[in-house]
């Protein structure tokens, strides 16, 4: 080891790095304070039971904090930072800009119940086994105590007339939450109380709500209060579903200027909307042609629509949850045997039926955050809405081939594997802030990538399942742009999902409605296209490089906006992201 003293340049760089690390760590703590439910999701359980301050004063204070943090970050000279920290600085600025966009430009606190829904979901205290049940019960009781004030603030903020799809989302979410809190929560904690250590008299010295009879009484009181609040909220949203002046379908539209700002501020994408739509249309046409080819091979003599219906009709005999559990083993084996990407840990993913309040989304995965340790993830699959007709419920259930690529998207090699990497990134900021286009772009890219790598052995019916998922994401991109920047109606969006993504009517309604309150769901295809282009450009620079090397490099950075990552790893040769 050399005893040479550091040069002035070395010392300056070290000082800049240390100063930046302090700024980044301080920002993260202030962000957790302002967003305690997201802190809990990340695994910071000192924030258990807390809810954000959604009062008007609270929302204004948070916007002021974000603006001050933006000025502080911009003032930090990146010249003395290494590549990782320079990327961190850009990531932090993009995260601040994204938060400010949704709050101030899009006005989500005043318009969109989706802004509030995740924080008012207590399932983490049941489904994530991060602490003994007694401790999680205390956290749940603190959360329940904070719900009435938070719900009142949300209701006051959303007092203006709501688009029908927003009101329907609110009604479905809070009816589901009322059911979840009435049935699942007491059943879980009551069952735990009978299992010895945990929610039992053995923990009686741990304060209010810790154990035994007192804990169960506290839980019963919290259940009555929370169910009443959520039931009242659901009824309030139901009232707003009634036809009345001022609730025109177009109320949800962002408009072209704001939509373009959304892409710039949340994803650092500065590509003209017409070019994005054209790229999405080309990918749609490519996938439709591939679907025609696959159908000609597996169902010759019938139309493509009839072929898709035939493949979709082959439902898993044991239901989608059991089938998905079976599929995961084969997907994991394929990824490992082909060496497509490093699997950096031994964590597992389980499959369960989605709770009622999350059934606006057909499938999703809950992945423990970077502070959490090695806990399992849970891949949820939603059953059909019991209010639908028997025919619609049957059609909504995914076919075996389609479900296979949903499982690929959510688990292997999609979100689950991605977050195994991001939770191990060198940067805490990169671990916590994984962007929409990166996350969904990788997961969607991975569906097609495993097919290209030989998954399914060329079976045309398996190919139909992969293309069903791809076409859905193609249509999402075009629908998001059409709904928010053009004159596309929700009914026209539904028709597009039926006719070009071959969706059943119930799923088409669900997807079209989501486009109104989640305009950024174009990021599935947009992100996939950016990842594919980055792969092509990265491997062109490195003769003989493998996909595994690219995937490991891509995932090692967490999940920053893809144009920022592109610049970081390609340098002066970066070029446009799309």
């Amino acid at each position: 080891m050399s005893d040479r003293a550091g040069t002035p340049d070395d010392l300056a760089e070290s000082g800049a790095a240390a100063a930046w690390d302090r700024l980044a760590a301080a920002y993260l703590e202030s962000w957790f304070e302002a967003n305690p439910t997201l802190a809990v999701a990340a695994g910071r359980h000192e924030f258990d039971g807390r809810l954000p301050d959604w009062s008007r004063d609270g929302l204004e204070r948070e916007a002021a904090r974000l603006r001050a943090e933006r000025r502080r970050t911009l003032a930090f000279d990146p010249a003395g930072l290494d590549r990782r920290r320079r990327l961190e600085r850009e990531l932090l600025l993009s995260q601040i800009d994204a938060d400010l966009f949704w709050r101030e430009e899009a006005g989500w606190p005043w318009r969109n119940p989706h802004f509030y829904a995740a924080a008012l979901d207590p399932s983490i205290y049941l489904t994530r086994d991060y602490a003994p049940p007694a401790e999680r019960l205390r956290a749940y009781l603190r959360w329940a105590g904070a719900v009435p004030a938070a719900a009142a603030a949300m209701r006051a903020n959303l007092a203006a007339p709501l688009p029908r799809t927003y009101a329907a989302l609110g009604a479905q979410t809070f009816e589901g939450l009322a059911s979840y809190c009435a049935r699942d929560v007491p059943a879980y904690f009551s069952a735990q109380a009978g299992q010895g250590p945990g929610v039992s008299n053995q923990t009686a010295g741990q304060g209010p709500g810790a154990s035994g009879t007192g804990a169960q009484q506290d839980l019963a009181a919290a259940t009555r209060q929370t169910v009443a609040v959520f039931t009242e909220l659901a009824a309030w949203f139901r009232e707003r579903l009634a036809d009345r002046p001022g609730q025109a379908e177009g109320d949800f539209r962002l408009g072209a200027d704001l939509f373009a700002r959304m892409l710039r501020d949340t994803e650092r994408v500065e590509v003209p909307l017409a070019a994005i739509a054209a790229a999405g249309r080309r990918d749609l046409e490519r996938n439709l042609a591939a679907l025609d080819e696959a159908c000609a091979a597996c169902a010759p003599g019938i139309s493509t629509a009839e072929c898709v219906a035939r493949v979709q009709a082959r439902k898993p005999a044991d239901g989608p949850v059991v089938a998905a559990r079976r599929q995961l083993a084969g997907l994991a084996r394929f990824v490992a045997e082909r060496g497509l990407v490093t699997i950096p840990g031994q964590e597992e993913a389980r499959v369960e039926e989605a709770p009622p309040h999350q059934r606006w989304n057909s499938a999703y995965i809950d992945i423990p955050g970077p502070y959490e340790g090695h806990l399992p993830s849970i891949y949820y699959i939603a059953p059909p809405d019991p209010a639908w007709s028997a025919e619609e419920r049957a059609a909504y259930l995914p076919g075996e081939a389609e479900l296979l690529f949903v499982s690929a998207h959510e688990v292997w090699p999609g979100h689950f594997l991605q977050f195994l990497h991001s939770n191990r990134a060198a940067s805490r900021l990169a671990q916590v802030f994984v962007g929409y286009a990166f996350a969904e772009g990788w997961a969607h890219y991975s569906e097609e990538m495993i097919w290209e790598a030989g998954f399914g052995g060329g079976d045309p019916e398996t190919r139909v399942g992969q293309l069903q998922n791809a076409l859905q994401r193609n249509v999402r991109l075009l629908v998001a742009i059409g709904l928010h920047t053009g004159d596309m109606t929700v009914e026209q969006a539904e028709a597009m999902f039926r006719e070009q993504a071959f969706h059943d009517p119930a799923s088409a309604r669900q997807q079209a409605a989501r486009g109104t309150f989640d305009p950024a769901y174009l990021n599935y295809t947009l992100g996939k296209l950016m990842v594919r282009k980055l792969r092509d450009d990265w491997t062109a620079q490195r003769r003989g490089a493998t996909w595994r090397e690219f995937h490991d490099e891509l995932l090692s950075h967490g999940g920053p906006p893809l144009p920022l990552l592109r610049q970081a790893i390609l340098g002066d040769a970066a070029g446009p992201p799309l």
Side-chain angles (χ1 to χ4, degrees), residues 157-188:
N157 294 340
L158 294 173
L162 299 176
R164 289 182 58 78
T165 52
Y166 288 30
L169 172 67
Q172 180 186 32
T173 297
F174 291 104
E175 285 167 355
L177 279 168
S179 172
Y180 186 75
C181 291
R183 296 186 305 176
D184 296 68
V185 174
Y188 174 80

Side-chain angles (χ1 to χ4, degrees), residues 380-460:
Y380 289 103
I381 301 173
D385 190 328
W388 296 342
S389 69
E391 182 180 0
E392 286 183 329
R393 292 198 303 273
Y396 180 81
L397 291 170
E400 183 90 34
E402 179 190 6
L403 179 65
L404 185 56
F405 287 92
V406 175
S407 297
H409 180 101
E410 301 297 342
V411 184
W412 297 110
H415 289 311
F416 174 69
L417 179 55
Q418 172 191 18
F419 278 86
L420 292 184
H421 281 266
S422 68
N423 282 347
R424 291 168 167 81
S427 160
R428 273 296 191 197
L429 289 179
Q431 291 175 3
V432 173
F433 299 130
V434 176
Y436 197 165
F438 193 113
E440 297 301 350
W442 163 263
H444 183 35
Y445 160 86
S446 69
E447 302 162 32
E448 185 171 50
M449 181 266 290
I450 60 170
W451 171 262
E452 292 174 328
F455 183 71
D459 173 54

Side-chain angles (χ1 to χ4, degrees), residues 4-40:
R4 181 180 67 87
T7 66
D9 285 347
D10 291 335
L11 295 175
E13 182 173 342
S14 175
W20 170 256
D21 289 347
R22 288 192 297 271
L23 185 152
Y27 178 83
L28 205 51
E29 292 306 309
S30 69
W31 187 82
F32 285 146
E33 284 287 341
N35 300 277
T37 53
L38 296 176
V40 173

Side-chain angles (χ1 to χ4, degrees), residues 155-338:
R155 188 163 157 173
N157 294 340
L158 294 173
L162 299 176
R164 289 182 58 78
T165 52
Y166 288 30
L169 172 67
Q172 180 186 32
T173 297
F174 291 104
E175 285 167 355
L177 279 168
S179 172
Y180 186 75
C181 291
R183 296 186 305 176
D184 296 68
V185 174
Y188 174 80
F189 286 119
S190 295
Q192 294 296 320
Q195 294 179 7
V199 187
S200 72
N201 288 320
Q202 296 182 30
T203 55
Q206 297 182 17
S211 61
T213 303
Q216 294 305 309
Q217 289 174 343
D218 290 344
L219 178 58
T223 297
R224 288 191 296 272
Q225 175 178 268
T226 305
V227 170
V229 169
F230 288 153
T231 300
E232 185 179 353
L233 271 177
W236 185 79
F237 280 110
R238 285 283 171 206
E239 290 175 5
R240 277 145 185 79
L241 279 172
D243 291 328
R244 65 184 69 182
Q247 283 194 300
E249 181 187 302
D251 289 355
F252 61 78
R253 298 185 197 278
L254 292 179
D257 290 345
L258 206 55
F259 196 90
R261 288 189 64 179
M262 175 190 78
L263 292 173
R264 183 193 70 197
D265 289 356
T266 68
E267 299 294 345
R268 292 301 191 249
V269 171
E270 298 191 62
V271 176
L273 291 180
I276 294 173
R281 175 64 67 182
R282 286 193 299 273
D283 201 52
L284 172 68
E285 292 170 352
R286 177 178 72 92
N287 286 322
L288 285 170
L291 183 63
D292 288 341
E293 182 180 346
C295 282
C298 71
I302 65 175
S303 70
T304 298
E306 290 170 321
C307 162
V308 172
R310 180 181 294 182
V311 173
Q312 179 68 358
R314 295 193 177 99
K315 311 291 185 183
D318 42 7
V321 170
V322 174
R325 290 171 183 156
R326 183 177 64 250
Q327 291 170 345
L328 294 187
L331 286 162
R333 186 167 55 251
F334 180 84
V335 171
E337 289 176 352
R338 294 300 176 99

Side-chain angles (χ1 to χ4, degrees), residues 21 24 83 88 127 274 301 313 349-350 428 435 452 499 532 553:
D21 289 347
R83 183 182 75 153
E88 272 192 339
T127 59
R350 300 173 182 168
R428 273 296 191 197
E452 292 174 328
E499 294 163 8
R532 284 183 64 91
E553 169 74 8

